[in-house]
Amino acid sequence: MMTIVCHGDSLTEGSDLNKNYTWPRLRQSLYQDGRAEFAEASESLHPQAKGLAALAYMQGIRGQVESARLSALMRDLEIPLIPVLVSMEQAGIGVDLNAFSAFLDDVSAQLDELTRSIIAHAGEPFNIRSSQQLAAILFDKLDIKEGGKTATGQRSTANQVLEGIRGRHPIVEDILEYRMLEKLRSTYLEPLPKLVDEGSRLHTHFNQLATTTGRLSSSRPNLQNIPIRGKYGPRMRACFTAGPGNLLAAADYSQIELRVLAHFSKDPALLDAFRNDEDIHTRTAALLTDKPSRDVQPDERRNAKTINFGLIYGMGPQKLARELDITVNQAKEFTERYFEKLTTLKAYYDTIVKDAESNGFVTTLAGRHRLLPELHSRNNQMASQAKRQAVNTVIQGSAADIIKMAMVAAHKDKELAALGARVILQVHDELIVEAPEASISAAGERLKAIMQTTADLDVPLKVDLGIGKNWADAH
DNA sequence: CGAAGACCT
DNA sequence: CAGCCAGGTCTTCGA
């Protein structure tokens, strides 16, 4: 079920470790992320055996693990997580095939109509899915002024560009609509129903070794990128259901990354906001504008949200300027003002980078490491990117640690088991649990309690809970 | 197989 | 003067 890929190198069944993956490279990988040792173990075995096999495999390389000081992370988090993932993969999530089918019919009909309309506007048939052909139609034939270039210098036809030239020609609107519907058809509506089992359930593969930060990834099919926004997001999510007699509960960590940031940085403003359960974006806006929270305007809150979100990624003034539609200089002032108000936060950022530079790696809450050799690059752009990665990895990776701890705790929880509940999906800051109708409420509340108490931070962890027959209703 | 694009947190 | 924020998966095109 689970193909393990380690930093791009596939470990195939029966492969000789020394042949396909040299020891220095493995040690490096272990040291970096502490998750490589069950790669070999998981691969060739039935999923049920994955956990045990990983442990057995562990024995052979314990020395390496301990020398990397990663045994606790492995022993207490990653290895216990394996049977949890196996259970989630085997459980799968219910799919409403009739809803899928009706949805596909609607989308196909609209795509046919849009294709006719677009070809008519263009005056000649062409492949709408080809960005090259589309650019030729838009920018040469129809003489619309181009809106931007791709990384390789081509004239971009990306959504963001098309949004900007929306009013100039009716074809643009049709193409945006076409793109959205074509994505739904080709990625979700057509492939997914082919993958369901006899019980109409869909089983993903949770990959424990795919990311550099410690997050999981999901593939074949990816159930971590099911549409939720846009005109058809809710309808898409409503196609994912609980089994007969069951309901779903969705438990979302609220602002977990900013809470992690508050915990590590000890910034008084952030700590205070979360301890008083205030709206963090409104609070930031109030700080920036020197107003009481109740006087913050919607656009001021939106700007604060962008900056709060952006600082998890180490957003620069250019990007901020574009996001907020202000000049770069204004953005610089905005950022400066932000860090003047949150001086402890600024100091913490500097500390992460300084420690990373001297250690060569950053460390997350659970003791996961990420090596960042590019921090010492003479290339400024590379070094800057590594700095952003350092900050982001500590935050994103620690949030990943926390939800993994919650998953392990939930899996062994007697109360959830007694309620007939099982966790079936994880989407980075969200867990989906399925249980019989009569016990779903208790199961949701129990899961919520586990998620809120599994890690002890300097700020409370907040979890939003929703219950419903399908994934849309559970939000 | 890389580029472009679109979906997610 | 340009510089465009972190982590993923999947589909399609075109060489």
Side-chain angles (χ1 to χ4, degrees):
Chain A
M1 267 178 127
M2 187 163 165
T3 296
I4 302 289
V5 176
C6 188
H7 300 285
D9 289 346
S10 206
L11 291 175
T12 54
E13 184 169 349
S15 70
D16 178 351
L17 190 66
N18 287 310
K19 209 166 27 179
N20 288 353
Y21 208 76
T22 61
W23 277 107
R25 180 76 197 277
L26 177 63
R27 270 204 308 278
Q28 151 111 15
S29 193
L30 275 174
Y31 192 70
Q32 173 155 348
D33 58 45
R35 285 165 286 151
E37 45 267 49
F38 34 81
E40 176 80 353
S42 314
E43 179 60 34
S44 59
L45 295 162
H46 194 270
Q48 281 146 325
K50 266 196 295 197
L52 277 177
L55 276 169
Y57 185 72
M58 247 317 258
Q59 307 302 316
I61 54 169
R62 174 147 298 170
Q64 276 76 23
V65 174
E66 282 174 359
S67 73
R69 304 189 307 281
L70 288 170
S71 56
L73 174 69
M74 290 307 306
R75 189 189 60 233
D76 300 336
L77 192 58
E78 296 297 348
I79 286 179
L81 186 65
I82 294 170
V84 183
L85 297 179
V86 170
S87 161
M88 291 166 69
E89 289 180 1
Q90 290 190 325
I93 185 167
V95 159
D96 184 340
L97 289 173
N98 291 326
F100 256 92
S101 169
F103 198 175
L104 178 57
D105 289 346
D106 285 359
V107 164
S108 298
Q110 288 186 63
L111 279 170
D112 287 347
E113 184 53 40
L114 283 164
T115 303
R116 271 194 291 279
S117 173
I118 290 166
I119 300 301
H121 282 308
E124 63 179 288
F126 71 104
N127 188 344
I128 307 166
R129 295 189 248 17
S130 163
S131 47
Q132 279 177 32
Q133 293 181 38
L134 180 60
I137 294 287
L138 290 177
F139 306 128
D140 295 331
K141 180 130 193 228
L142 298 179
D143 214 29
I144 301 170
K145 192 167 171 292
E146 61 190 70
K149 297 286 181 67
T150 68
T152 54
Q154 305 287 310
R155 294 171 300 183
S156 172
T157 66
N159 258 354
Q160 200 162 18
V161 170
L162 296 186
E163 304 272 1
I165 58 176
R166 217 173 190 151
R168 314 180 89 103
H169 197 289
I171 197 176
V172 176
E173 200 72 39
D174 285 349
I175 289 165
L176 287 168
E177 186 86 0
Y178 179 95
R179 282 254 175 88
M180 175 187 66
L181 295 170
E182 176 62 15
K183 177 70 177 178
L184 287 177
R185 183 195 65 77
S186 68
T187 306
Y188 307 104
L189 294 174
E190 279 189 355
L192 295 190
K194 294 184 178 28
L195 300 173
V196 301
D197 67 11
E198 329 61 72
S200 283
R201 293 183 77 94
L202 206 46
H203 307 266
T204 186
H205 301 71
F206 283 110
N207 199 325
Q208 223 172 340
L209 299 166
T211 71
T212 53
T213 57
R215 274 190 178 181
L216 298 174
S217 79
S218 159
S219 60
R220 298 179 306 149
N222 184 352
L223 293 184
Q224 291 182 322
N225 73 341
I226 303 300
I228 186 170
R229 298 187 214 91
K231 205 195 317 185
Y232 294 109
R235 185 171 177 185
M236 187 76 251
R237 292 239 165 169
C239 294
F240 294 83
T241 66
N246 289 348
L247 288 173
L248 300 178
D252 283 72
Y253 278 115
S254 168
Q255 309 289 357
I256 188 169
E257 293 190 334
L258 285 172
R259 286 170 196 265
V260 165
L261 183 57
H263 169 78
F264 278 129
S265 70
K266 313 285 183 226
D267 187 275
L270 285 178
L271 287 177
D272 189 62
F274 284 126
R275 284 172 180 165
N276 294 308
D277 195 24
E278 289 177 40
D279 180 312
I280 188 65
H281 305 311
T282 300
R283 175 65 185 260
T284 303
L287 202 63
L288 286 172
T289 56
D290 284 325
K291 287 182 184 179
S293 288
R294 64 178 182 281
D295 291 342
V296 167
Q297 300 302 305
D299 65 316
E300 291 169 337
R301 183 185 183 276
R302 195 164 37 80
N303 287 355
K305 184 177 177 179
T306 301
I307 196 170
N308 274 339
F309 200 52
L311 87 142
I312 294 170
Y313 308 137
M315 181 161 55
Q318 282 83 13
K319 180 69 179 181
L320 185 65
R322 207 185 59 171
E323 288 284 325
L324 297 181
D325 204 24
I326 57 180
T327 71
V328 172
N329 274 337
Q330 284 174 309
K332 275 183 183 156
E333 286 172 27
F334 209 45
T335 316
E336 278 167 22
R337 185 162 175 76
Y338 185 90
F339 282 120
E340 270 170 32
K341 298 287 182 178
L342 295 127
T343 48
T344 315
L345 193 56
K346 179 76 173 85
Y348 173 63
Y349 274 41
D350 296 342
T351 304
I352 292 183
V353 172
K354 189 166 61 66
D355 286 355
E357 279 170 348
S358 61
N359 291 331
F361 58 84
V362 290
T363 305
T364 67
L365 189 70
R368 188 186 311 281
H369 291 170
R370 178 178 181 182
L371 299 185
L372 288 163
E374 306 296 343
L375 278 173
H376 297 108
S377 171
R378 260 73 66 204
N379 181 332
N380 247 327
Q381 204 174 327
M382 297 289 278
S384 296
Q385 186 183 17
K387 286 180 187 175
R388 293 193 298 268
Q389 288 171 332
V391 171
N392 178 258
T393 296
V394 174
I395 301 169
Q396 186 185 112
S398 297
D401 293 343
I402 290 170
I403 197 167
K404 282 177 170 179
M405 293 189 260
M407 291 164 74
V408 170
H411 189 69
K412 67 180 182 200
D413 187 69
K414 297 286 192 291
E415 195 175 322
L416 282 177
L419 290 165
R422 54 188 179 177
V423 173
I424 60 171
L425 274 185
Q426 187 252 45
V427 190
H428 308 307
D429 63 358
E430 167 185 14
L431 293 177
I432 308 288
V433 67
E434 179 172 357
E437 284 177 31
S439 57
I440 191 68
S441 182
E445 290 298 337
R446 179 61 187 159
L447 178 63
K448 175 175 170 174
I450 291 170
M451 290 168 73
Q452 285 180 332
T453 55
T454 189
D456 187 23
L457 303 189
D458 275 0
V459 293
L461 286 172
K462 190 178 177 187
V463 170
D464 296 323
L465 186 65
I467 289 171
K469 180 64 195 166
N470 61 56
W471 200 357
D473 292 343
H475 265 280

